[in-house]
Amino acid sequence: MKTKKFTLSESQMPTQWYNIVADMPNKPLPPLDPATHKPVTFEQMQTIFADELIRQEMSTERFIDIPEEVQKIYGIWRPTPLVRAYGLEKALGTTAKIFFKNESVSPAGSHKPNTAVPQAYYNYKQGIKHLTTETGAGQWGTAISFAAQQFGIDVKVFMVRVSYDQKPYRRLMMNTFGAECLSSPTTLTASGRAALAIDPNCSGSLGLAISEAVETAVQHPEDTRYCLGSVLNHVLLHQTVIGEEAITQMEMADAEPDIVIGCFGGGSNFAGIGFPFLRKNLTEGKRIRVVAVEPASCPKLTRGVFQYDFGDVAGFTPLLPMYTLGHDFQPSDIHAGGLRYHGAGSIVSQLLKDGLIEAQSVAQNETLAAGILFAKSEGIIPAPESTHAIAVAIREALRAKEAGQSPTILFNLSGHGIIDLYAYEQYLAGSLKDYAPDDDEIARTTSMLQNLL
Amino acid sequence: MKTKKFTLSESQMPTQWYNIVADMPNKPLPPLDPATHKPVTFEQMQTIFADELIRQEMSTERFIDIPEEVQKIYGIWRPTPLVRAYGLEKALGTTAKIFFKNESVSPAGSHKPNTAVPQAYYNYKQGIKHLTTETGAGQWGTAISFAAQQFGIDVKVFMVRVSYDQKPYRRLMMNTFGAECLSSPTTLTASGRAALAIDPNCSGSLGLAISEAVETAVQHPEDTRYCLGSVLNHVLLHQTVIGEEAITQMEMADAEPDIVIGCFGGGSNFAGIGFPFLRKNLTEGKRIRVVAVEPASCPKLTRGVFQYDFGDVAGFTPLLPMYTLGHDFQPSDIHAGGLRYHGAGSIVSQLLKDGLIEAQSVAQNETLAAGILFAKSEGIIPAPESTHAIAVAIREALRAKEAGQSPTILFNLSGHGIIDLYAYEQYLAGSLKDYAPDDDEIARTTSMLQNLL
């Protein structure tokens, strides 16, 4: 029988993360202090983040060792499988070879623990006893709750109220892992109280939850720090363990990808699968297409502008060099909550500006149709975020079929969707809204997919 | 670093199921026709089940080949990992070695697809186009929905109304895999209409859902059959792939279990992990303890009687030789919905009667405390059913610690609990009822566990 899953033993797990900054022809621009417009210093960041994470944020070293304690906890679910999608290939009638990396097998059900574990570890090493963070849909909050528990660190997760009320399962996962999950805005912070004073029924926002989490951390510099699950350089760095494993596994499969695809929110799972393959382009002269897929309703990469902008809605963060839709951009209410961020991190933005990566956008009916075809043919119900990568993998396979080509396609399955099933329910009921109805390519590929179901 | 996960390649997957009947000193008694009290014939079962499944139900062959088409679909998630629970061992401060087999990685999130796939396959080979079944909590319905989709077979799942309303995520998983999930009682069957005539708001029962599913199947003998997810011999047979893999993996770990533990509802996951190790007792003179764990609120193995009884509430099935609490036993409303069945299958019952296996019962506060300790230490939130196996693994480890012993313990993690999180919520809120408060052992071990959290 043909091999379906390419599995590595724990002893084959990568022992270093890859820092793409070392190989970039143009380095990313630094974050700026909004008051002085000068680069933010190490010291300015110290009350917010653990020291070692700031060092990694600024590092230009090519490889950074994964501490043995982190490797040990990675071993709970890593190495993750690389899977040949024979079922999907058959459903599409394509001669393309489709592979996916399955990050849904982690304690949180997504790639997020890859960075949550080292973030918790470095804080623990520094003697930090409490972490604060925010979470929207809840994936990140779950991951850091699990990770902090491994090192005996308490976590306060500020969860946007509307999600807190609508997604009890995510909150319950955090509680089960021992974390405190608060409905933001709270009365515990000045930012929260100010919001509640204006509107006692305020449903919260990610920007406000960030403010509450940062405010709580900086009040206790002696033993408390804040942490973030995407966008930043050190977060992307930790995720490269995905692609490093995938390189070894593609070799086991005797294949090399022509196209590598990741969905795109803040950039962390995209960087995780994409950067190690980009290294082959940057240092070995390969020409692998590395494609970021964003929702048509939040198209910072395909329709945004490259400029300095704030990372949050309220303008509390440093100014970051990014492709952005404006920090006050209000994304549509799509199910892929993890892809609703207004900007892209500085590394990804620079790579896109330099033409080293590609970006595509898809609308949510197409992505859900892709998700159902994938679930039926491969047995895994994907997260609404991950269906964006699947949709473009399918587009590329169908295009190749029309052109009589047989490319090798690799995408990252960033997470499973079994606690996001309402998206599927709405799609199956025909009541899912699309937020880019005027795009011919979207209409054509959506209808092609629906015919396959 | 010490190996945590013992993984097999697909080429190491077992190619045969193990039929313990061949090695039993006393064979299980046959099912009887309630009208004649004579053994049920092959022909009597033919309108209900696919022929090959009936042959397996009656087989005394020691090993039965797993068809290549089934192996191919098993390859989506199998072989599953065997994991050394270092985290749990550390949390308990035990010198026992604890291993678990992780069946939560399947498309349904549990062991159920191990039998759903061959059941769908044999029906497909016979030209069957439609399957009917019932589901309580929804695990089995999800598994058969996935499996049938692989062979282009339609499925009608009769889901007990109270679960249909309370567990929308399970229903949505079935829909996503392409199945029709109906709230039982329906108006589609005479049994359903009769129940609704008596009470239009009837909340349904597993017995009634079975009646609806069987009635629907037998009306269309030309292309429709019924299928069942536990209790029967052929179902237990298919699950032995779990234990066969575990034997190879324990050898990789250079260990042999002294105790093998599975939770017990109808017997399928217990048989899956237990029977291959029991073979070592029956044929190689080993003395491995094989322990079934049931809820204290549904104690058919520890407090039931061995006699012929009906498999369903209404008395439609053949009479089965079983340890039973009576087919009209009404179990308490515990969260481990999969363990609320009144009887044990005929093979397990005979093994227990002959003293070849053991049984223990635990109450749900102890199991949920065990589940939380496991989630925190191993990163997987277990199904409420699986927490029963974990609770007894912990009891055995703590007893061994008191006695200064270091046994090797293996349990089956039959599924994850991330869509059963309300059980954890109630436990954490202190509002979870216990249904066996008068048991000293339960009180003692529950409090011991709670001190560890």
Side-chain angles (χ1 to χ4, degrees), chain B residues 97-413:
Chain B
K97 289 181 190 163
I98 306 179
F99 293 85
F100 64 93
K101 181 74 170 156
N102 183 2
E103 290 294 306
S104 77
V105 298
S106 85
S110 75
H111 66 294
K112 292 288 184 191
N114 295 333
T115 184
V117 174
Q119 289 194 42
Y121 170 74
Y122 291 121
N123 275 283
Y124 159 76
K125 287 291 280 184
Q126 196 178 317
I128 298 302
K129 307 286 188 216
H130 310 280
L131 282 173
T132 69
T133 197
E134 76 290 332
T135 200
Q139 280 279 7
W140 167 244
T142 309
I144 194 70
S145 299
F146 157 74
Q149 173 68 37
Q150 303 304 306
F151 298 104
I153 295 178
D154 286 337
V155 186
K156 265 197 177 62
V157 181
F158 292 87
M159 187 171 187
V160 179
R161 177 165 291 171
V162 60
S163 297
Y164 184 94
D165 293 337
Q166 285 175 359
K167 301 210 164 189
Y169 279 63
R170 278 283 161 203
R171 168 171 57 80
L172 292 172
M173 285 184 83
M174 295 180 226
N175 294 155
T176 302
F177 286 132
E180 189 179 358
C181 178
L182 302 160
S183 175
S184 167
T186 73
T187 56
L188 301 175
T189 66
S191 345
R193 286 189 297 271
L196 290 170
I198 296 166
D199 177 7
N201 298 316
C202 173
S203 65
S205 71
L206 205 56
L208 182 54
I210 294 177
S211 306
E212 290 209 281
V214 174
E215 183 185 327
T216 305
V218 297
Q219 279 169 355
H220 297 284
E222 69 288 0
D223 66 355
T224 306
R225 291 291 180 280
Y226 165 77
C227 57
L228 189 70
S230 192
V231 179
L232 299 177
N233 300 356
H234 67 274
V235 180
L236 274 54
L237 171 79
H238 300 152
Q239 293 293 354
T240 58
V241 66
I242 301 172
E244 294 299 331
E245 285 178 8
I247 285 176
T248 309
Q249 290 165 312
M250 289 298 288
E251 284 165 6
M252 286 170 68
D254 203 17
E256 185 161 47
D258 299 298
I259 312 169
V260 176
I261 302 167
C263 64
F264 197 92
S268 79
N269 104 85
F270 168 74
I273 192 77
F275 286 2
F277 288 98
L278 264 183
R279 181 176 67 236
K280 292 175 177 259
N281 292 359
L282 296 171
T283 67
E284 298 171 29
K286 298 273 185 183
R287 303 184 67 167
I288 301 165
R289 292 174 52 203
V290 180
V291 183
V293 187
E294 62 186 5
S297 58
C298 190
K300 61 238 184 192
L301 299 176
T302 53
R303 299 188 190 193
V305 290
F306 183 76
Q307 63 180 38
Y308 269 100
D309 195 3
F310 290 105
D312 67 328
V313 177
F316 289 156
T317 69
L319 286 166
L320 303 169
M322 44 164 62
Y323 274 92
T324 175
L325 296 162
H327 65 276
D328 54 355
F329 177 78
Q330 189 60 42
S332 305
D333 182 26
I334 57 167
H335 283 282
L339 307 185
R340 294 171 75 243
Y341 188 65
H342 69 277
S346 57
I347 294 177
V348 170
S349 293
Q350 189 64 49
L351 291 168
L352 182 65
K353 184 160 182 290
D354 291 344
L356 298 169
I357 60 170
E358 294 175 37
Q360 294 188 29
S361 73
V362 284
Q364 67 176 350
N365 268 303
E366 178 174 353
T367 67
L368 267 296
I372 291 175
L373 189 67
F374 183 78
K376 287 184 173 179
S377 55
E378 294 293 329
I380 304 170
I381 299 176
E385 290 82 359
S386 314
T387 62
H388 288 68
I390 299 171
V392 167
I394 290 174
R395 279 187 177 193
E396 294 287 346
L398 294 178
R399 269 185 205 138
K401 190 178 168 185
E402 286 172 9
Q405 295 169 338
S406 300
T408 297
I409 300 169
L410 166 65
F411 70 87
N412 195 36
L413 184 76

Side-chain angles (χ1 to χ4, degrees), chain B residues 44-62:
Chain B
Q44 283 179 300
M45 292 198 256
Q46 267 188 311
T47 54
I48 301 178
F49 296 109
D51 293 359
E52 182 57 29
L53 295 171
I54 307 171
R55 274 189 283 274
Q56 293 182 356
E57 186 67 20
M58 298 175 158
S59 171
T60 55
E61 267 182 80
R62 200 153 182 250

Side-chain angles (χ1 to χ4, degrees), chain A residues 49-68:
Chain A
F49 296 108
D51 293 0
E52 182 56 30
L53 295 170
I54 308 171
R55 275 190 282 276
Q56 293 182 353
E57 186 68 19
M58 298 176 157
S59 171
T60 56
E61 267 183 81
R62 201 154 180 249
F63 290 101
I64 293 177
D65 288 344
I66 305 176
E68 197 165 307

Side-chain angles (χ1 to χ4, degrees), chain A residues 5 10 75 78 150 376, chain B residues 5 10 75 78 150 376:
Chain A
K5 297 187 307 299
E10 276 163 67
R78 305 207 71 84
Q150 303 305 306
K376 287 184 172 179
Chain B
K5 296 190 306 300
E10 276 163 65
R78 303 208 73 85
Q150 303 304 306
K376 287 184 173 179

Side-chain angles (χ1 to χ4, degrees), chain A residues 71-90:
Chain A
Q71 291 182 45
K72 208 171 117 188
I73 297 172
Y74 275 178
I76 289 178
W77 75 98
R78 305 207 71 84
T80 64
L82 179 87
V83 185
R84 175 78 183 269
Y86 288 116
L88 181 62
E89 290 174 18
K90 192 176 154 199

Side-chain angles (χ1 to χ4, degrees), chain A residues 176-187:
Chain A
T176 302
F177 285 132
E180 188 179 359
C181 178
L182 302 160
S183 175
S184 167
T186 72
T187 55

